[in-house]
Amino acid sequence: MTTLQDIADRMGISKGTVSKALNGAPDISETLQKNVLETAVEMGYTKLRRQKADAKKLCILTENIEYEEPHQFGYDITLGFRQMAEPAGYTVEIVQAEEKLQKHTPYDVFMLRNNYLGAFVLGFSLNDPWMKDFHTSRTPTVLYDNYISANPNIAYVGVDNNEGMELAVSHLKLLGHKKIGYLSGALGSHVMQVRHKAFFQALRQNGLQSDPTYAGSSYYITECLEKHLPRLLAMGVTAIICSHDLIANTVMIQCQQLGYHVPRDLSIIGFDDLPICAYTSPPLTTIRQERIELGKSGYYALDSLMNKVSIGTLLLHAQLVVRNSTGPRAANSREYGSLQGK
Amino acid sequence: MTTLQDIADRMGISKGTVSKALNGAPDISETLQKNVLETAVEMGYTKLRRQKADAKKLCILTENIEYEEPHQFGYDITLGFRQMAEPAGYTVEIVQAEEKLQKHTPYDVFMLRNNYLGAFVLGFSLNDPWMKDFHTSRTPTVLYDNYISANPNIAYVGVDNNEGMELAVSHLKLLGHKKIGYLSGALGSHVMQVRHKAFFQALRQNGLQSDPTYAGSSYYITECLEKHLPRLLAMGVTAIICSHDLIANTVMIQCQQLGYHVPRDLSIIGFDDLPICAYTSPPLTTIRQERIELGKSGYYALDSLMNKVSIGTLLLHAQLVVRNSTGPRAANSREYGSLQGK
């Protein structure tokens, strides 16, 4: 165990100065405070003010995810986490981890300085600066939908995307569909990469033709549709799975404008089961992420990391929610290519 | 919620008879008891005697796994599970789930009859009869090293074999090895299948040649060695990863008898980190499964299933334990084919 004295010895300053710096005393310069904190983190010092009664603090770090309102994706996730953490005696603070903060302050320093024992991280993309820090971080941290290999302090929590994609494809296969397309958001996030791969795996598992041309991805939904939807329709797909519900909803609207009936001409499946899915036209068949449970699992995993049970991956079962956007493949499946050209 | 009256109505018998049958009253025939239990299970009745104080019972079902002695693989797993479950107020019973029992009694009936709220299942192979029952079971159940898709009541707990195999292969690559072989137990268990696949994936991730002929598997260790070891050596592999430690240990002994020095001529890596690994000659480099943590995670997952948090997969981080059976590839890597032929 690293002590204040160890840090003092390493830096060649007094133990009292180390203590003051760690506690943010105003007579210690900001530069020295920063150096002491970074040295403390580097040496594995973790006890900062934690003996105090008010010190049982966890944080939820958010980026690119909305959580303030009940209809937003992150709302139930943060709620589920707090439903477990608060009765266990933790205070939970939600912090926006903006890129500026991430660039300016190493992750472990941020956590130590704010006296957080652990974090639940939502919405990070692969190029968020702290994603690098997580490889070597010593702070118990649970990432929603991001995976870091071989660091015993970091866990990945999410829904089982392979299972979800398998449920979607086998549902379509049972309805007689054989040519299934896939439209995806940009592959710059872990979860989009995983779902993309899972789509092709599910095709193979169901004995369907698996060809890269059946899939298309773009950052912007409109671009994705313009670029890839006409191509898929011309190829004669009778069903399209989308990497998330908002793409699926836009695809339905666009296809209806092109004269396709959903699901008679074309079946559509989304992913996530956003609250909107019950209200789209037609209501959207989708793969549900149980968001309250995701939040609870995030706490489960974090609690176990803090207790030295080194969970690496925790996946929830996916569920297929069948609504009205999927149906049997038309007996005399239309020639979509020619329909589209009319 | 199914009531006693519902079961009575379905079967056309009195509520009193249902109650007596569920409680094993001696004046109810065994056949009727069995029918009532099966109907109760089918209808989702789950409250059997659970109001009683002594009713908080969990079981660990074992098959093909030894756990009585500290040096046996299952010992720490059952210990870790009990370390979590017993302080939480559960009684834990360890039950040998012999094939005869599994054939004779449906899984849910067994659990209900014995008043178990949930189970942690160790050592089942893919052809154990209850593996089929798990697809539709309504009893919260956690499987060590077995995966059931799309049943929200069943979770899979294990070490992250992909991460483990990646650690093993990249360790060997850093030591200069390029031709790496793999020897495995029979592929009739989920974990052997997963590790086999993970081996080839790790080769590809490390930019090494991935060819099916680099691997061999057999049920019996001796057969595995006779059939595949000479072939791998003739192909010029300079390192061999084994699907579990006992194969690795036998490979070391066999290779030494053939005149190879481990690790100078050949590096060997095992999997599991059995207690024996520190005492083999040379001590074995291996991928560690933290068995106490596996047991604790089994309880975590079971507790969450019982609380309707539908965990599907929970993987622990794998750790590489470097001992003396791995070393740098010899600068003038020997011609193993010719050495073997001497």
Side-chain angles (χ1 to χ4, degrees):
Chain A
M1 291 292 282
T2 307
T3 64
L4 292 182
Q5 191 61 55
D6 296 334
I7 302 168
D9 291 348
R10 162 85 75 96
M11 298 186 70
I13 58 179
S14 78
K15 187 175 151 188
T17 306
V18 171
S19 172
K20 276 180 168 182
L22 288 175
N23 287 289
D27 58 333
I28 305 288
S29 77
E30 204 172 314
T31 312
L32 183 55
Q33 283 191 29
K34 190 158 176 285
N35 287 341
V36 171
L37 266 170
E38 291 187 355
T39 306
V41 165
E42 188 192 325
M43 295 178 71
Y45 184 76
T46 53
K47 285 196 304 183
L48 197 57
R49 285 180 296 194
R50 279 180 192 167
Q51 54 281 28
K52 290 190 192 166
D54 66 354
K56 277 190 77 175
K57 280 202 315 180
L58 302 176
C59 71
I60 300 179
L61 296 172
T62 67
E63 173 77 330
N64 310 311
I65 196 165
E66 295 178 315
Y67 61 88
E68 289 91 347
E69 308 283 335
H71 69 276
Q72 292 174 331
F73 188 75
Y75 185 85
D76 279 348
I77 300 180
T78 59
L79 182 63
F81 185 87
R82 290 173 42 217
Q83 283 176 341
M84 298 284 286
E86 290 174 1
Y90 291 99
T91 302
V92 178
E93 296 177 359
I94 304 186
V95 180
Q96 290 249 181
E98 286 160 8
E99 204 181 333
K100 196 178 144 194
L101 167 68
Q102 295 186 40
K103 272 190 179 159
H104 186 259
T105 313
Y107 174 65
D108 279 353
V109 169
F110 169 80
M111 294 295 285
L112 192 61
R113 180 178 281 162
N114 289 283
N115 210 15
Y116 295 129
L117 296 174
F120 185 35
V121 178
L122 308 181
F124 274 40
S125 69
L126 294 175
N127 53 17
D128 266 296
W130 281 352
M131 287 296 289
K132 283 210 187 81
D133 296 23
F134 294 146
H135 286 276
T136 53
S137 168
R138 302 177 193 220
T139 311
T141 302
V142 174
L143 310 178
Y144 166 61
D145 267 351
N146 272 302
Y147 174 70
I148 298 291
S149 179
N151 181 344
N153 302 307
I154 311 282
Y156 154 39
V157 165
V159 77
D160 188 334
N161 291 293
N162 287 313
E163 185 178 55
M165 211 52 90
E166 163 64 23
L167 288 169
V169 170
S170 56
H171 168 66
L172 291 172
K173 191 187 174 191
L174 265 177
L175 291 168
H177 297 277
K178 285 169 186 163
K179 278 198 169 181
I180 302 171
Y182 182 66
L183 291 174
S184 169
L187 302 181
S189 77
H190 176 257
V191 63
M192 288 299 126
Q193 293 178 357
V194 169
R195 288 182 187 170
H196 190 261
K197 203 169 152 190
F199 168 70
F200 290 107
Q201 185 178 306
L203 289 183
R204 288 192 298 272
Q205 277 172 351
N206 282 276
L208 298 174
Q209 205 186 327
S210 156
D211 183 318
T213 59
Y214 284 138
S217 66
S218 300
Y219 185 81
Y220 294 105
I221 291 183
T222 49
E223 187 188 324
C224 183
L225 263 63
E226 274 171 29
K227 214 166 148 185
H228 308 293
L229 182 58
R231 187 168 58 76
L232 292 182
L233 292 172
M235 287 168 67
V237 302
T238 61
I240 296 177
I241 298 172
C242 300
S243 69
H244 58 78
D245 293 330
L246 298 180
I247 297 189
N249 186 31
T250 316
V251 168
M252 289 205 294
I253 293 167
Q254 174 80 357
C255 287
Q256 286 160 352
Q257 288 178 341
L258 290 169
Y260 295 85
H261 182 275
V262 175
R264 201 184 56 224
D265 302 326
L266 197 66
S267 287
I268 306 288
I269 298 186
F271 213 114
D272 289 344
D273 198 24
L274 293 183
I276 195 183
C277 292
Y279 306 101
T280 57
S281 174
L284 188 65
T285 295
T286 189
I287 301 298
R288 180 166 174 78
Q289 303 207 51
E290 202 58 70
R291 290 183 290 280
I292 291 271
E293 292 193 6
L294 277 171
K296 288 183 176 175
S297 299
Y299 175 77
Y300 260 116
L302 188 55
D303 183 48
S304 69
L305 290 179
M306 293 188 297
N307 286 298
K308 305 288 172 205
V309 176
S310 182
I311 288 179
T313 298
L314 195 166
L315 301 180
L316 291 182
H317 279 296
Q319 287 171 262
L320 177 73
V321 179
V322 178
R323 295 199 182 90
N324 304 107
S325 66
T326 46
R329 186 172 74 113
N332 53 345
S333 180
R334 291 201 202 180
E335 295 286 324
Y336 291 112
S338 58
L339 176 71
Q340 197 207 0
K342 81 185 174 183
Chain B
M1 292 294 281
T2 307
T3 64
L4 291 183
Q5 190 61 55
D6 296 334
I7 302 168
D9 291 347
R10 161 85 73 96
M11 298 186 69
I13 58 179
S14 78
K15 186 176 152 186
T17 306
V18 171
S19 172
K20 276 180 169 181
L22 289 175
N23 287 290
D27 57 335
I28 306 289
S29 76
E30 206 173 312
T31 312
L32 183 55
Q33 283 192 29
K34 190 160 179 282
N35 287 341
V36 171
L37 266 170
E38 292 188 355
T39 307
V41 165
E42 187 193 327
M43 295 178 72
Y45 184 77
T46 53
K47 285 196 304 184
L48 198 57
R49 285 181 296 193
R50 281 180 191 169
Q51 54 281 27
K52 290 190 193 165
D54 65 354
K56 278 191 79 178
K57 282 203 313 182
L58 303 175
C59 70
I60 300 178
L61 296 172
T62 67
E63 173 76 331
N64 310 312
I65 195 165
E66 295 177 315
Y67 61 87
E68 289 91 346
E69 308 284 336
H71 69 275
Q72 293 174 331
F73 187 75
Y75 184 86
D76 278 348
I77 300 181
T78 59
L79 182 63
F81 185 87
R82 289 174 42 219
Q83 283 176 339
M84 298 285 286
E86 290 174 1
Y90 290 100
T91 301
V92 178
E93 296 177 359
I94 303 185
V95 180
Q96 290 248 183
E98 285 160 8
E99 204 181 336
K100 196 178 144 195
L101 168 68
Q102 294 186 40
K103 273 190 178 156
H104 186 259
T105 312
Y107 173 64
D108 279 353
V109 169
F110 170 80
M111 294 295 285
L112 192 60
R113 181 179 280 163
N114 289 283
N115 210 14
Y116 294 129
L117 295 174
F120 186 34
V121 179
L122 308 181
F124 275 39
S125 69
L126 294 175
N127 53 17
D128 265 297
W130 281 353
M131 287 296 288
K132 283 210 188 80
D133 295 24
F134 294 146
H135 286 277
T136 54
S137 168
R138 301 177 193 219
T139 311
T141 302
V142 174
L143 311 178
Y144 166 62
D145 267 349
N146 271 302
Y147 175 69
I148 297 291
S149 179
N151 181 346
N153 303 307
I154 311 282
Y156 154 39
V157 166
V159 77
D160 188 333
N161 291 294
N162 287 312
E163 187 178 54
M165 210 53 89
E166 162 64 24
L167 288 169
V169 170
S170 55
H171 169 66
L172 291 172
K173 190 186 174 189
L174 266 176
L175 292 168
H177 297 276
K178 286 170 186 162
K179 276 198 171 180
I180 303 170
Y182 182 66
L183 292 174
S184 169
L187 302 181
S189 78
H190 176 256
V191 63
M192 288 298 126
Q193 292 178 359
V194 168
R195 288 183 187 169
H196 189 261
K197 203 170 151 187
F199 168 70
F200 291 107
Q201 186 178 305
L203 288 183
R204 288 192 298 272
Q205 278 174 351
N206 281 278
L208 298 175
Q209 205 186 327
S210 155
D211 184 318
T213 59
Y214 283 138
S217 66
S218 300
Y219 185 81
Y220 294 104
I221 290 183
T222 48
E223 187 188 324
C224 182
L225 262 63
E226 275 172 27
K227 215 165 147 184
H228 308 292
L229 183 59
R231 187 168 59 75
L232 291 182
L233 293 172
M235 287 168 66
V237 302
T238 61
I240 297 177
I241 298 172
C242 300
S243 68
H244 58 80
D245 293 329
L246 297 181
I247 296 189
N249 187 31
T250 316
V251 168
M252 289 203 297
I253 293 168
Q254 173 80 357
C255 287
Q256 286 160 352
Q257 288 178 341
L258 290 169
Y260 295 86
H261 182 273
V262 175
R264 201 184 56 225
D265 302 326
L266 197 66
S267 287
I268 307 289
I269 298 186
F271 213 114
D272 289 344
D273 198 23
L274 294 182
I276 195 184
C277 293
Y279 306 101
T280 56
S281 174
L284 187 66
T285 296
T286 189
I287 301 298
R288 180 166 173 77
Q289 301 208 54
E290 202 57 71
R291 290 183 290 278
I292 291 270
E293 293 193 7
L294 277 170
K296 288 183 176 176
S297 298
Y299 175 78
Y300 260 116
L302 189 55
D303 184 47
S304 69
L305 291 179
M306 293 189 295
N307 286 298
K308 305 287 171 205
V309 176
S310 182
I311 289 178
T313 298
L314 195 165
L315 302 180
L316 291 182
H317 279 295
Q319 286 171 265
L320 177 73
V321 180
V322 177
R323 295 199 181 88
N324 304 107
S325 66
T326 48
R329 186 172 73 114
N332 53 347
S333 179
R334 290 201 202 181
E335 295 287 325
Y336 291 112
S338 57
L339 176 70
Q340 196 206 1
K342 81 182 168 182

